[in-house]
């Protein structure tokens, strides 16, 4: 049952991996953090923006039109992998790269194979995350953060999802999938962008 006195944050995703990260980062706030499914929202979101910012804003505005979202702070992220050797592809098309139903094991292996002749800094890549917020008064906010690394030569680690097993972090001698959840939230693109947004919402008295 929803506590009407508790502020609600609806994160525009049904991805349980993302929700675990988000709940951990917002655990110290007196807010109810809900996924779309938990909020009772089923909506089709057409992500046709050309930038991470545009897509994140499309998500929060689409969800914000639903009656179940009234009075809540709507958050969404748009994130992706930029590989410099591939002219920053897959970028905003990361989730749809090679088809949405294609497994990430196949996607990851395809990227590794495309970099078969790349060495050292030629393998530079990063995760980018933009968090968008739609406030109850209709205002929107965005924050952006990245985590820099290199494309590994093989998948490594089991703590992440998506492209996590192939972004190698030289400083940590592992991929983002090899980090603990606490480490990942501290240094990841999504963790940094969400903390920036959290600070802006707190400073603005929104939550």
């Amino acid at each position: 049952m929803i506590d009407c006195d508790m502020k609600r944050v609806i994160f525009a995703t049904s991805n349980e991996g993302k929700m675990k990260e988000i709940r951990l980062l917002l655990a110290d706030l007196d807010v109810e953090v809900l996924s779309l499914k938990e909020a009772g929202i089923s909506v089709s979101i057409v992500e046709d923006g050309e930038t991470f910012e545009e897509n994140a804003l499309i998500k929060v505005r689409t969800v914000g039109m639903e009656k179940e979202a009234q009075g809540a702070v709507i958050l969404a992220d748009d994130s992706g992998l930029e590989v410099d050797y591939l002219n920053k592809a897959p970028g905003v098309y990361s989730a749809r790269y090679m088809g949405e139903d294609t497994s990430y094991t196949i996607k990851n292996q395809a990227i590794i194979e495309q970099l078969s002749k790349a060495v050292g800094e030629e393998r530079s890549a990063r995760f980018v995350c933009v968090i968008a917020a739609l406030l109850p008064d209709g205002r929107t906010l965005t924050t952006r953060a990245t985590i820099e690394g290199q494309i590994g030569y093989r998948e490594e680690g089991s703590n992440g999802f998506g492209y996590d097993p192939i972004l190698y972090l030289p400083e940590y001698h592992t991929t983002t999938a090899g980090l603990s959840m606490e480490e990942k939230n501290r240094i990841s693109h999504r963790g940094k962008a969400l903390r920036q947004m959290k600070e802006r919402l707190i400073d603005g008295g929104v939550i």
Side-chain angles (χ1 to χ4, degrees):
M1 181 178 293
I2 294 174
D3 182 348
C4 295
D5 294 326
M6 182 179 286
K7 292 182 179 179
R8 290 189 304 146
V9 172
I10 298 174
F11 205 97
T13 188
S14 297
N15 184 309
E16 281 305 312
K18 285 186 184 181
M19 288 306 299
K20 285 181 182 178
E21 293 180 12
I22 292 154
R23 286 196 172 96
L24 188 61
L25 280 161
L26 300 181
D28 60 330
L29 299 178
D30 187 23
V31 296
E32 185 175 26
V33 183
L34 304 171
S35 66
L36 289 178
K37 182 179 180 180
E38 291 165 338
I41 296 174
S42 177
V43 63
S44 177
I45 301 174
V46 180
E47 299 177 43
D48 55 2
E50 296 183 0
T51 66
F52 294 112
E53 281 83 2
E54 289 177 5
N55 280 334
L57 287 167
I58 286 170
K59 292 177 188 179
V60 293
R61 286 171 175 152
T62 301
V63 172
M65 294 173 64
E66 301 297 302
K67 61 178 174 45
E68 292 90 349
Q70 290 182 5
V73 175
I74 314 299
L75 296 180
D77 82 313
D78 196 52
S79 54
L81 175 68
E82 292 183 343
V83 182
D84 292 328
Y85 193 81
L86 303 180
N87 296 314
K88 295 192 176 181
V92 294
Y93 304 106
S94 292
R96 291 162 280 173
Y97 184 61
M98 299 178 66
E100 288 190 39
D101 295 330
T102 303
S103 75
Y104 276 96
T105 298
I106 293 173
K107 294 180 182 183
N108 288 338
Q109 191 56 44
I111 290 173
I112 290 170
E113 289 175 0
Q114 290 179 75
L115 270 68
S116 61
K117 296 181 180 179
V119 296
E121 289 302 315
E122 291 179 325
R123 304 181 73 87
S124 60
R126 70 201 53 80
F127 281 134
V128 179
C129 179
V130 170
I131 300 283
L134 175 64
L135 310 186
D137 63 7
R139 287 181 295 143
T140 58
L141 305 170
T142 61
T143 57
R144 169 187 274 251
T146 63
I147 181 171
E148 300 285 336
Q150 297 177 353
I151 297 301
Y153 292 90
R154 67 192 67 81
E155 285 191 317
E156 178 184 326
S158 58
N159 293 335
F161 57 93
Y163 297 104
D164 280 335
I166 63 169
L167 187 70
Y168 183 78
L169 309 175
E171 182 181 353
Y172 293 88
H173 307 291
T174 188
T175 64
T176 52
L179 300 171
S180 68
M181 184 66 76
E182 290 75 16
E183 287 175 317
K184 187 180 178 186
N185 274 333
R186 183 169 54 83
I187 68 170
S188 77
H189 54 310
R190 186 175 297 108
K192 289 188 286 189
L194 189 56
R195 277 195 297 276
Q196 291 173 25
M197 180 59 74
K198 177 181 172 181
E199 290 172 6
R200 292 185 68 178
L201 295 176
I202 291 172
D203 290 345
V206 179
I207 57 176

